[in-house]
Amino acid sequence: MTTRERRLAGFEERQLAELKEHIAARTAAAPARRPRGRLLLAAAAVAAGVCAAVVIPAVSGGGGESAYAVTRDADGVVYAELRDSRDTAGLSDQLRRLGVPAIVDYVPAGKMCREPRGKHVEDIPRDLYHVPESIPGERHGWRMRIDTRLFKPGQTFVWTIGKNSTGGTSTSTILMEGPVAPCELVDAPKQKEYRPPYRLATTKGRSLAGYRVDEKTVGEVVPEIEKRGLKVIYVIMGISPGNPGGYGELRVQKTPVGEDWTVWEAEEVVKGPKDTPTGVIRLLVTKEHHDRNPVYGGPRDAVIPDGS
């Protein structure tokens, strides 16, 4: 495993853990009509940087809404929106007709496509495709952007969509080159649940409830934390070029960073089976200010509405 693979594999572990926490935090306040709490973005690059994962609520294609919508602009950029994961054949066909060399497969809960299916591409152009993000103004579904001009001959965009154990839909996007084997369904390995020793601090009932930290400076946030009698540690975030969404932890430190650094989110450190708060807050920070929140792949409100 290369250094790049190890680094990005760590991204995946962290994002999956945080998704579980965010699901639990939001489900308690969700309206009864919704099968799960909200749209969740796992904007983490995994599998040596060629796979991006997302978890979305299970939704119906009824009610007059199309299961998917795919459009292409004059510059060759394709925009795909997905609201129902079941029509993968139609989605795959439409993507190919608009210039995306794609294979889209659906797998039921507890299953996966047998690997390896083909050779993964590691040197991916920065803007070939971005990890999925929420559809503005909608609580269900997500969208992604794919630049058809950046595909090389013989490359295939392999998109696998499957039901997960919680009733939602998990997806992966992988760029391959050369022949790609058909999806042969096999039993998926059981995933060991991981509960990180920290959780979101800015939602109801948490240490920083009622105080938004996202996109403020360290100099603005730290005084409020200290006023609440809490201690601070700093998570220095690693952001992929182009800020496609997702991040890694470069290091965690007690030493203060500059007051002009940007805070993207705050987590409270917990311990024990009851997740008892320890009075320590992890501030997720970067020295540079980015164009969008890397924790959520966009505005925090698109994932966690204010007041949650």
Side-chain angles (χ1 to χ4, degrees):
M1 182 178 288
T2 67
T3 299
R4 184 167 181 257
E5 289 171 333
R6 287 193 297 271
R7 182 174 68 250
L8 293 173
F11 285 20
E12 179 191 29
E13 293 177 359
R14 172 183 172 77
Q15 290 295 325
L16 290 177
E18 291 184 343
L19 280 173
K20 293 175 183 176
E21 201 290 319
H22 292 328
I23 291 169
R26 181 68 188 281
T27 299
R33 65 181 175 82
R34 293 169 60 197
R36 295 187 60 200
R38 56 178 162 79
L39 176 67
L40 298 171
L41 301 180
V46 295
V50 300
C51 172
V54 65
V55 177
I56 63 175
V59 297
S60 171
E65 277 192 344
S66 299
Y68 61 85
V70 186
T71 59
R72 173 174 169 149
D73 67 17
D75 294 326
V77 176
V78 168
Y79 297 90
E81 294 185 349
L82 178 66
R83 294 176 176 85
D84 189 324
S85 60
R86 291 170 293 187
D87 191 1
T88 54
L91 175 57
S92 180
D93 180 65
Q94 184 67 7
L95 285 169
R96 287 196 295 267
R97 281 195 287 171
L98 293 182
V100 179
I103 295 175
V104 186
D105 295 303
Y106 175 82
V107 296
K111 297 292 184 178
M112 61 176 286
C113 297
R114 183 184 296 278
E115 295 291 346
R117 297 182 63 184
K119 182 180 178 181
H120 290 195
V121 176
E122 294 191 18
D123 185 19
I124 303 175
R126 177 183 300 179
D127 293 321
L128 177 62
Y129 61 92
H130 292 172
V131 293
E133 61 183 10
S134 57
I135 301 173
E138 297 188 19
R139 292 183 180 275
H140 300 296
W142 54 271
R143 68 181 183 182
M144 68 182 306
R145 174 186 184 278
I146 308 168
D147 192 335
T148 62
R149 299 168 299 180
L150 299 178
F151 284 101
K152 295 181 180 179
Q155 292 183 341
T156 304
F157 183 69
V158 181
W159 195 346
T160 306
I161 307 170
K163 287 291 183 182
N164 58 39
S165 59
T166 61
T169 301
S170 61
T171 84
S172 69
T173 53
I174 307 174
L175 185 64
M176 297 186 181
E177 61 183 354
V180 178
C183 178
E184 178 186 350
L185 293 177
V186 296
D187 292 335
K190 292 185 177 180
Q191 298 294 322
K192 182 179 178 181
E193 184 176 358
Y194 169 67
R195 291 177 61 86
Y198 46 83
R199 63 188 182 186
L200 197 63
T202 52
T203 51
K204 289 182 179 179
R206 303 289 173 79
S207 301
L208 296 179
Y211 182 69
R212 292 279 295 269
V213 304
D214 50 300
E215 301 196 41
K216 294 180 179 177
T217 66
V218 169
E220 293 175 292
V221 171
V222 170
E224 175 66 24
I225 294 175
E226 293 177 340
K227 186 172 70 175
R228 299 188 184 208
L230 304 170
K231 297 180 180 179
V232 180
I233 58 177
Y234 300 90
V235 179
I236 313 303
M237 302 167 66
I239 310 300
S240 298
N243 186 24
Y247 64 97
E249 292 187 11
L250 298 181
R251 62 186 180 278
V252 179
Q253 64 186 49
K254 295 182 179 179
T255 304
V257 299
E259 292 192 352
D260 60 341
W261 283 42
T262 300
V263 179
W264 299 104
E265 193 50 278
E267 300 166 334
E268 59 181 12
V269 178
V270 296
K271 67 177 181 180
K274 295 184 179 180
D275 288 340
T276 304
T278 64
V280 177
I281 298 296
R282 291 164 41 104
L283 284 186
L284 279 57
V285 301
T286 59
K287 185 175 182 179
E288 300 81 11
H289 185 85
H290 296 279
D291 59 341
R292 58 179 177 171
N293 192 325
V295 176
Y296 302 107
R300 179 185 187 273
D301 289 336
V303 179
I304 305 178
D306 200 11
S308 297

